[in-house]
Amino acid sequence: MEFKKGYTLEEMKELYKWFDEQKYENSIDMGHGIKVNDVKTLVEGSRTVAFAKPENPTYSGQLRFLFNVREALIEQGKVIEN
């Protein structure tokens, strides 16, 4: 998904639903010196803020990062089959 100044409520729900329904490794190297050591904490911390003010474009960067994390988990084979 490309960066946008804002994401719809439906896009946000779909993103968080994916994280809720999948099993995945809890750390990931995103490249460029960025490593997420606790994906679950990142997701939960951002969820509260994102849904509190969904119309606020301030959080679009954080949501885009979560879309990138999801893509990286899939591409790196870190999603655990159920």
Side-chain angles (χ1 to χ4, degrees), residues 1 3 6 16 26-27 29-30 33 36 38 41-43 45-46 51 54 57 61 64 66 70 73 76:
M1 177 169 290
F3 176 78
Y16 287 105
N26 199 33
S27 66
D29 187 340
M30 299 293 294
V36 179
D38 191 342
T41 298
L42 174 71
V43 170
S46 69
F51 283 106
R64 176 64 185 137
L66 284 179
R70 178 176 71 175
L73 286 166
Q76 294 179 25

Side-chain angles (χ1 to χ4, degrees), residues 65-77:
F65 185 69
L66 284 179
F67 279 107
N68 288 343
V69 168
R70 178 176 71 175
E71 290 170 15
L73 286 166
I74 294 167
E75 289 172 2
Q76 294 179 25

